[in-house]
């Protein structure tokens, strides 16, 4: 009796833990829970670590129930149906650990960054979550778990709708475009709902209670509506693949509603009455599929769409995302080619978890379509699960990952013959797996999608395990006598010191929760609140706030310094010129510390070079060698990144090495002639070298590449360059053009007067000076002094 009470209490502790974890996708409260996944993973790790502690206590003090004991026997039995799939999951965790151990940046691979909330630790917790769900949850618990997950999905969906419609705008941040809800992005929201879509589908079809059936199909329609509104092509593709498999490959020989049709051994003695209905459904879906393909062709053929459709928000979103011309310009296709090159260089264990950027930068090629700075040239994910896993964990990890899904899929397929009354569940889980993999062929996981995907894996393990024979019929695991003796010795030792072990584990738990979760959680809150300070114009307070935590060392040190540098960058122009140099030096010091923490992160070195250029521009010409050192370190990590050659060319221009600037600008053009800044730097360099005709051609090339050649900064560069070679005629032309654009700008008129004087045209100089005086009478003394010089 007492054991049952203890067991029941422990069961509810676990259930409460699972419910709290599955509610985390709703959590998104800046600045504490920002970025969205970061706060969720912190709470997830705290809750799950407490659950792990309770589980270990339960094992050490032999509080295991019969169900848990049976599962443990099954996973140790090679003849068990669940054995291979369970140990593939463990093997996948093992490969991640080895990849972290041999990573190019092990520290970052282990901890990750709040930007993505990844890293080995978070991934390991996701797998442990799946293992605990498999070991602890009973058959009666799973329905509660799924129903609760669906309810959370409904809340998440409503928040997305509120965001899009601008409802409750004081609480919910409105979005005019594709709403992310609380998940962190519309794509991730769509995949999160996609993973819940198929469990809802088979529960809804199977449910007999009308109220619950309505609940499931309401959620199904709601999720479908929100997925459409996200505009996620990856989710559209996943949904299509999942439904395609679910409908067209649904077994027509078996049906959960007609188990009486089966003879002994699983052979039919007559035709299933549901077969005709199933065939009609398949035909209907096939017609819908053909119509859908024709519809996509129609939309891409520029046929006239009725006005009522054009004004519909859902149609606008879906139509824009089904454009084939835009899809083929997606830069992720080029990123896959780069990722494939990186994967070939480190095929076994990859570059390490979270280190995709190291491999990508090393093999980056700006000559590939749509992968230049204008479209985005810095990737930390491949947006494809094959290349993400292949580059970071290696081909070995990819093989194990695919094998896990293949074995689970096969195990569920076999269950269709053993338990035909549950075919729709097994088939629905298979469809969910295919939809998930199809969607992630064009995307990647975040915390919320990991949570549901590993929940489905745990559920699949449970379904396969439940198909085993009764406990007394199971063949006992064959363990060699030496192995058995070792296990007995270890178990005896653990039992002997179980109290000491549990105390040590408890102390470790307290340290882990504080040092690895609560403390970094607070530091990240400080980081995020500085952004709010900056947005309201109080960036100096934000800088002081960040500086106060720079010395509080945690695994967020690199992330903290990058945010500190970003805050300086965003507000540098707002700072008085006399204090800009101080801020730049602070940024450089922070970046130098960052290169020690993450020496293989290219952008640390690139930013160092760029900030050093700012100091050179302010007169510290002696820093040329230092700037070159930083850019060359960046080149070692990424030999073809255009931004590095652009930085080098600027260093050369600032230090009057015009031949060096021309050489670096030419390298930039050779790598990708469609990038306007490369042509612009070549143009400025040629002006300094007095190659005016060549410079004019460069300017035209920059203009064709959509570089802002007419901007104020570009104009200032041209004037400085022409002034250096005393080509005042060109400067006069520039100011004449500027005056046509802004005829009442007194400074333009006065500057034009100065250059007319340089050309000896005193009459025009006087005319422009008087016009400046007319527009700016407060400068009377200065202008009159100028007029006297004429």
């Amino acid at each position: 009796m007492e054991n049952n009470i203890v067991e029941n209490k422990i069961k509810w502790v676990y259930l409460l833990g699972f419910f709290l974890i599955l509610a985390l996708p709703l959590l998104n409260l800046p600045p504490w829970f920002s970025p969205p996944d970061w706060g969720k993973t912190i709470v997830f790790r705290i809750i799950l670590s407490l659950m792990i502690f309770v589980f270990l206590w339960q094992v050490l003090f032999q509080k295991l129930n019969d169900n848990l004991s049976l599962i443990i026997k099954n996973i140790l039995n090679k003849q068990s149906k669940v054995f291979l799939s369970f140990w593939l999951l463990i093997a996948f965790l093992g490969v991640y650990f080895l990849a972290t151990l041999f990573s190019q940046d092990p520290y970052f691979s282990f901890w990750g960054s709040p930007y993505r909330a990844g890293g080995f630790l978070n991934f390991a917790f996701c797998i442990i979550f799946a293992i605990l769900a498999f070991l602890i949850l009973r058959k009666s618990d799973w329905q509660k778990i799924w129903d609760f997950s669906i309810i959370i999905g409904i809340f998440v969906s409503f928040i997305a709708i509120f965001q899009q419609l601008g409802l409750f705008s004081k609480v919910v941040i409105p979005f005019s475009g594709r709403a992310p809800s609380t998940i962190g992005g519309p794509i991730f929201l769509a995949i999160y709902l996609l993973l819940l879509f198929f469990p809802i589908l088979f529960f809804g079809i199977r449910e007999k209670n009308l109220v619950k059936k309505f609940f499931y199909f309401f959620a199904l329609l709601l999720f479908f509506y929100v997925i459409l509104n996200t505009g996620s092509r990856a989710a559209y593709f996943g949904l299509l693949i999942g439904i395609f498999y679910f409908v067209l490959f649904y077994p027509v020989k078996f049906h959960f509603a007609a188990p009486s049709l089966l003879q002994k051994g699983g052979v039919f003695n007559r035709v299933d009455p549901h077969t005709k209905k199933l065939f009609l459904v398949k035909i209907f879906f096939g017609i819908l599929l053909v119509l859908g393909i024709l519809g996509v062709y129609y939309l891409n053929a520029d046929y006239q769409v009725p006005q009522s459709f054009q004004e519909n928000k859902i149609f606008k979103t879906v139509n824009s995302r089904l454009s084939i011309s835009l899809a083929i310009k997606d830069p992720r296709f080029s990123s896959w080619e780069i990722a494939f090159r990186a994967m070939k260089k480190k095929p076994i264990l990859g570059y390490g978890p979270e280190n995709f950027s190291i491999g990508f930068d090393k093999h980056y090629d700006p000559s590939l379509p749509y992968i230049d700075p204008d479209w985005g040239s810095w990737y930390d994910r491949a947006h494809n699960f094959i290349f993400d896993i292949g580059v970071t964990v290696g081909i070995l990890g990819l093989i194990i990952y695919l094998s896990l899904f293949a074995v689970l899929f096969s195990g569920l397929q076999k269950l269709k013959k053993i338990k035909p009354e549950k075919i729709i569940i097994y088939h629905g889980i298979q469809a969910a797996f295919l939809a998930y993999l199809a969607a992630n062929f064009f995307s990647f996981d975040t915390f919320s999608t990991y949570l549901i995907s590993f929940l489905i894996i745990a559920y699949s393990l449970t379904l396969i395990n439940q198909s085993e024979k009764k406990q007394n019929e199971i063949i006992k695991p064959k363990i060699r006598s030496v192995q058995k003796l070792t296990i007995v010795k270890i178990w005896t030792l653990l039992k002997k010191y179980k109290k000491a072990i549990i105390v040590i584990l408890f102390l470790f738990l307290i340290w882990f929760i504080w040092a690895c979760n609560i403390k970094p959680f607070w530091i990240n809150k400080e980081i995020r609140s500085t952004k709010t300070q900056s947005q309201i114009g109080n960036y100096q307070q934000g800088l002081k706030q960040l500086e106060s935590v720079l010395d509080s060392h945690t695994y967020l040190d690199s992330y903290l310094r990058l945010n500190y540098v970003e805050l300086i960058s965003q507000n540098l122009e707002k700072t008085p010129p006399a204090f800009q140099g101080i801020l730049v030096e602070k940024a450089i010091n922070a970046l130098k510390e960052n290169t020690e923490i993450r020496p293989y992160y290219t952008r640390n070195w690139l930013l160092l070079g760029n900030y050093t250029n700012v100091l050179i521009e302010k007169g510290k010409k002696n820093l040329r060698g230092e700037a070159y050192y930083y850019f060359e370190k960046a080149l070692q990590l990424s030999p073809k990144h255009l931004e590095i050659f652009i930085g080098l060319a600027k260093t050369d221009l600032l230090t009057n090495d015009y031949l060096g600037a021309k050489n670096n600008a030419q390298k930039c053009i050779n790598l990708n002639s469609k990038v306007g800044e490369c042509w612009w730097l070549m143009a400025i360099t040629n002006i300094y070298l007095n190659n005016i005709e060549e410079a004019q051609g460069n300017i035209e090339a920059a203009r064709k590449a959509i570089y802002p050649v007419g901007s104020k900064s570009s104009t200032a560069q041209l004037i400085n360059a022409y002034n250096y070679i005393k080509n005042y005629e060109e400067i006069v032309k520039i100011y004449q053009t500027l005056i046509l654009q802004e005829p009442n700008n007194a400074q333009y008129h006065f500057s034009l007067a100065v250059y007319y004087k340089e050309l000896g045209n005193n009459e025009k100089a006087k005319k422009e000076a008087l016009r400046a005086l007319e527009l700016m009478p407060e400068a009377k003394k200065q202008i009159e002094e100028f007029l006297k010089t004429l």
Side-chain angles (χ1 to χ4, degrees), residues 348-369:
I348 307 302
L349 291 173
Y351 291 82
E354 299 302 301
N355 283 344
F356 180 84
S357 64
I358 296 177
F360 181 87
D361 290 350
K362 191 71 176 177
H363 300 276
Y364 173 73
D365 185 355
S367 66
L368 294 172

Side-chain angles (χ1 to χ4, degrees), residues 555-573:
Y555 56 85
L556 294 186
D557 283 354
S558 173
Y559 171 76
L560 170 59
R561 281 154 181 76
L562 284 174
N563 275 275
Y564 180 66
V565 171
E566 183 184 357
L567 189 63
I568 290 173
S569 175
Q570 290 171 349
N571 296 282
L572 192 60
E573 292 184 2

Side-chain angles (χ1 to χ4, degrees), residues 61 85 484 550 784:
F61 286 83
S85 49
K484 188 173 183 180
L550 281 175
E784 285 181 345

Side-chain angles (χ1 to χ4, degrees), residues 225-508:
Y225 171 80
V226 175
I227 289 171
L228 285 182
N229 268 297
T230 62
S232 169
R233 289 171 293 195
Y236 292 169
F237 181 63
L239 191 64
L240 176 65
I241 294 297
I243 294 176
F244 179 85
Y245 174 79
F246 186 83
V247 175
L248 295 186
F249 287 85
Y250 192 90
V252 293
K253 291 184 179 180
F254 305 111
H255 197 275
F256 72 89
S260 60
L261 301 179
L262 295 174
Q263 292 181 346
K264 186 178 180 181
V267 181
F268 279 97
N269 59 2
R270 64 187 178 88
V271 178
D272 188 334
H274 293 275
T275 299
K276 185 176 180 181
K277 293 180 182 178
L278 287 171
F279 272 121
L280 290 174
V281 170
K282 290 173 188 285
I283 292 169
F284 177 71
F285 178 76
I287 293 170
L288 283 180
L289 187 62
V290 172
L291 290 175
I293 294 169
L294 291 174
V296 173
Y297 169 78
Y298 179 87
L299 292 173
N300 281 275
D302 291 329
Y303 288 111
Q304 187 63 35
V305 178
Q307 187 67 28
S308 58
F309 277 94
Q310 292 180 27
E311 294 174 356
N312 184 275
K313 284 186 177 181
I314 297 180
F315 177 80
K316 284 181 181 178
T317 302
V318 175
N319 184 33
S320 65
R321 304 303 290 172
L322 293 179
S323 170
I324 296 173
S325 60
L326 285 178
I328 60 177
K329 292 179 181 179
D330 197 319
R332 78 185 71 187
F333 297 124
S334 293
S335 76
W336 295 354
E337 186 173 337
I338 296 169
F340 180 66
R341 296 173 188 175
M343 194 164 65
K344 288 194 296 182
K345 287 294 181 181
K346 280 186 168 287
I348 307 302
L349 291 173
Y351 291 82
E354 299 302 301
N355 283 344
F356 180 84
S357 64
I358 296 177
F360 181 87
D361 290 350
K362 191 71 176 177
H363 300 276
Y364 173 73
D365 185 355
S367 66
L368 294 172
Y370 312 110
I371 200 75
D372 54 52
D374 294 333
W375 284 77
S377 55
W378 302 99
Y379 278 65
D380 65 348
R381 293 289 190 276
H383 297 260
N384 175 288
F385 78 90
I386 292 174
F387 292 118
D388 274 324
I389 296 173
V391 172
T392 58
V393 190
I395 294 174
L396 180 61
L398 180 61
I399 290 171
I400 293 173
Y401 180 76
L402 293 173
S403 299
L404 171 63
F405 281 101
V407 170
L408 287 173
F409 193 93
S410 175
L412 292 168
Q413 188 68 21
K414 291 173 183 177
L415 290 183
K416 293 177 182 179
K417 295 180 181 179
I418 298 171
K419 292 189 174 183
E421 69 276 11
K422 291 186 177 180
I423 278 179
I424 195 164
I425 296 177
Y426 308 139
H427 194 69
I429 293 295
Q430 287 177 321
F433 282 149
L434 292 176
Y436 171 62
L437 293 175
N440 265 3
F441 195 82
F442 298 98
S443 186
F444 57 90
D445 278 299
T446 60
F447 170 75
S448 298
T449 59
Y450 267 139
L451 195 65
I452 304 302
S453 63
F454 278 108
L455 186 70
I456 294 175
I457 288 172
Y459 187 51
S460 302
L461 291 171
T462 302
L463 292 172
I464 294 169
N465 182 65
Q466 286 173 357
S467 70
E468 296 286 359
K469 298 177 182 179
K470 293 180 182 178
Q471 184 178 351
N472 57 3
E473 296 177 350
I474 293 178
I475 302 171
K476 293 182 179 180
K478 293 180 180 179
I479 303 175
R480 294 178 183 177
S481 57
V482 177
Q483 293 176 329
K484 188 173 183 180
L485 184 62
T486 304
I487 292 171
V488 170
K489 284 182 178 179
I490 294 171
W491 180 243
T492 304
L493 191 66
L494 290 173
K495 279 182 66 180
K496 184 178 179 181
Y497 297 104
K498 61 184 179 183
K499 290 184 180 179
I501 291 170
I502 208 70
V503 169
I504 292 169
L505 287 174
F506 181 75
L507 292 174
F508 177 78

Side-chain angles (χ1 to χ4, degrees), residues 525-591:
K525 188 273 296 184
E526 294 292 293
I527 294 170
R528 306 311 295 185
S529 62
T530 59
K531 293 188 178 294
T532 305
Q533 297 280 356
S534 180
Q535 287 169 358
I536 62 175
N538 193 8
Y539 74 92
Q540 292 177 339
Q541 179 60 36
L543 285 173
K544 288 179 182 178
Q545 195 170 328
L546 285 186
E547 285 167 359
S548 68
V549 294
L550 281 175
D551 293 329
S552 55
H553 296 297
T554 65
Y555 56 85
L556 294 186
D557 283 354
S558 173
Y559 171 76
L560 170 59
R561 281 154 181 76
L562 284 174
N563 275 275
Y564 180 66
V565 171
E566 183 184 357
L567 189 63
I568 290 173
S569 175
Q570 290 171 349
N571 296 282
L572 192 60
E573 292 184 2
K574 301 174 187 176
T575 306
F579 297 100
Q580 287 182 358
I582 296 172
L583 283 184
V584 170
E585 287 178 353
K586 286 183 176 182
I588 288 173
N589 289 333
L591 286 166

Side-chain angles (χ1 to χ4, degrees), residues 23-40 43 156 159 163 171-173 175 180-185 448:
L24 289 177
L26 267 177
L27 199 59
N28 189 352
L29 299 170
W32 284 98
F33 297 95
S34 182
D37 280 349
W38 164 250
K40 294 170 187 175
V43 179
V156 169
I159 290 172
Q163 287 175 335
V171 180
V172 179
I173 299 173
F175 280 80
S181 188
T182 56
I183 306 299
S448 298

